Amino acid sequence: MTKRAAAGRAPKVGAPAAEKPATRAATRRTAKSAAKRAAKPAPKAAGKSGGRTATEAASESSAEATTKATVKAAKAGTKAGTKPESRLAMVRRARRINRELAELYPYAHPELDFRNPFELLVATVLSAQTTDLRVNQTTPALFAAYPTPEDMAAAVPEELEDLIRPTGFFRAKTRSLIGLSVAIRDDFGGEVPGRLADLVTLPGVGRKTANVVLGNAFGVPGITVDTHFGRLVRRWKWTEQEDPEKVEAEVGAIFPRSEWTMLSHRVVFHGRRICHARKPACGACPIAPLCPAYGEGETDPEKARKLLKYEMGGQPGQRLSPPPDYPGKPAPALGAD
């Protein structure tokens, strides 16, 4: 083989070819860079040593959002992981509460003393912004002086004011009592009307007062939405409405019409005796298992029993002349308490 032929032979596989100076320098720089990269610690395994991938970061963000939503839902009165109560389930629970209240308060009744529709109408007007007890302590002297609509229509305002002063707002109430008495005398033949449409035309008489009179003096079923009734039916999730007429309509749709009057008495009784506004006696409440607001008040049974009122707590009731089946004590006369 000649020298020219040997020079043109291809190098063996794996044998380094001759490098130019510039190429050798570039190779050294590349080697140094590779060495630096090799010296850096390897990335930690995701999920084992605390490293996070983009997927994990997104997952954590989603979990945080879900937690916030759960807390918000809990504050709104729902439990995480449970379905909202259906309409059917709510109706069944509401009717069971009514049955339980019927067993608890078989003696439930209007807590105003009255002997006829006129006395009940007057007493209900007087009960605004005061207690039934104070009204019951006031009306004996009032009805002794003005037993009929004709008598009260002819009353001297200042004399009537003095008699009803203990009930508060006595000037406005005097105007209402004289006004409704005049209307009954002149427009209804001296008899309290037995229709809602007529009752609400009387001065000082709204839908609540009319339903009280209709249900308890005329036997016409009606729902009385007073302060106690409204707050309890909202606490029990029967309605979210605040307007009394809307509350009346929504609760009325849950129960048979025949139950409306007694339902009103039972709910009001429970609100006055056990399910108080500020501190309900949850630990002494027989319907606690049916109540979505259980725990808002005192849950310790011993402490809860100390919160009970009227006959439930061994105290006098609100009526001076309660029905014969009332198990508690009569209320004291004015000045005796």
Side-chain angles (χ1 to χ4, degrees):
M1 183 181 294
T2 63
K3 292 181 179 181
R4 184 181 298 273
R9 185 183 295 170
K12 294 181 180 179
V13 176
E19 295 181 353
K20 295 182 180 179
T23 302
R24 287 195 297 270
T27 300
R28 286 194 297 271
R29 286 197 297 269
T30 302
K32 289 181 180 180
S33 297
K36 288 181 180 180
R37 287 195 299 271
K40 290 183 179 180
K44 297 178 180 179
K48 293 183 180 180
S49 304
R52 297 193 310 164
T53 66
T55 302
E56 288 176 315
S59 177
E60 287 184 12
S61 177
S62 176
E64 184 178 357
T66 302
T67 300
K68 290 181 178 179
T70 302
V71 171
K72 185 176 181 181
K75 290 182 178 179
T78 60
K79 295 181 179 179
T82 61
K83 295 181 180 179
E85 186 178 41
S86 68
R87 166 76 181 177
L88 179 59
M90 183 275 290
V91 169
R92 287 175 174 170
R93 180 172 58 82
R95 292 183 176 183
R96 185 176 172 190
I97 287 176
N98 183 41
R99 292 193 297 271
E100 296 282 344
L101 293 179
E103 292 184 9
L104 184 61
Y105 307 111
Y107 49 83
H109 57 268
E111 295 192 272
L112 291 169
D113 285 327
F114 69 97
R115 295 169 296 185
N116 55 60
F118 178 65
E119 288 188 356
L120 179 56
L121 176 61
V122 169
T124 307
V125 170
L126 290 177
S127 69
Q129 305 300 317
T130 191
T131 63
D132 288 355
L133 171 61
R134 185 60 68 196
V135 173
N136 293 334
Q137 292 173 328
T138 302
T139 50
L142 176 66
F143 295 139
Y146 310 106
T148 68
E150 291 82 3
D151 295 324
M152 195 167 288
V156 176
E158 292 76 16
E159 295 177 0
L160 183 53
E161 287 176 5
D162 287 341
L163 286 172
I164 67 171
R165 188 182 296 269
T167 67
F169 302 94
F170 55 90
R171 291 190 179 88
K173 290 178 180 179
T174 293
R175 289 193 295 270
S176 294
L177 294 184
I178 292 177
L180 68 84
S181 298
V182 169
I184 291 172
R185 180 195 65 191
D186 296 346
D187 301 335
F188 298 101
E191 300 291 335
V192 175
R195 296 195 316 141
L196 179 66
D198 293 331
L199 282 168
V200 296
T201 66
L202 302 176
V205 178
R207 192 176 182 91
K208 182 192 83 170
T209 298
N211 279 332
V212 171
V213 174
L214 290 172
N216 298 285
F218 293 99
V220 178
I223 292 177
T224 303
V225 184
D226 69 353
T227 301
H228 300 289
F229 189 93
R231 66 179 176 79
L232 261 65
V233 298
R234 285 187 288 271
R235 183 173 279 174
W236 293 335
K237 308 299 182 186
W238 293 1
T239 181
E240 295 181 353
Q241 299 294 339
E242 296 284 345
D243 179 78
E245 288 194 28
K246 293 180 179 179
V247 171
E248 179 185 341
E250 291 198 3
V251 175
I254 298 173
F255 299 92
R257 192 168 182 268
S258 59
E259 284 288 308
W260 289 357
T261 299
M262 287 308 300
L263 170 72
S264 300
H265 293 325
R266 294 165 191 152
V267 173
V268 171
F269 255 60
H270 195 64
R272 287 174 171 172
R273 286 151 177 79
I274 297 178
C275 197
H276 313 305
R278 294 184 180 177
K279 196 171 185 181
C282 296
C285 181
I287 63 168
L290 301 171
C291 181
Y294 174 78
E296 288 185 5
E298 181 58 65
T299 56
D300 179 84
E302 290 297 326
K303 294 180 180 178
R305 276 193 285 272
K306 295 178 181 178
L307 299 174
L308 303 181
K309 294 184 178 180
Y310 303 112
E311 75 282 357
M312 290 290 184
Q315 307 155 2
Q318 297 206 75
R319 291 187 66 165
L320 278 66
S321 301
D325 63 342
Y326 180 63
K329 303 174 184 177
L334 188 63
D337 56 347

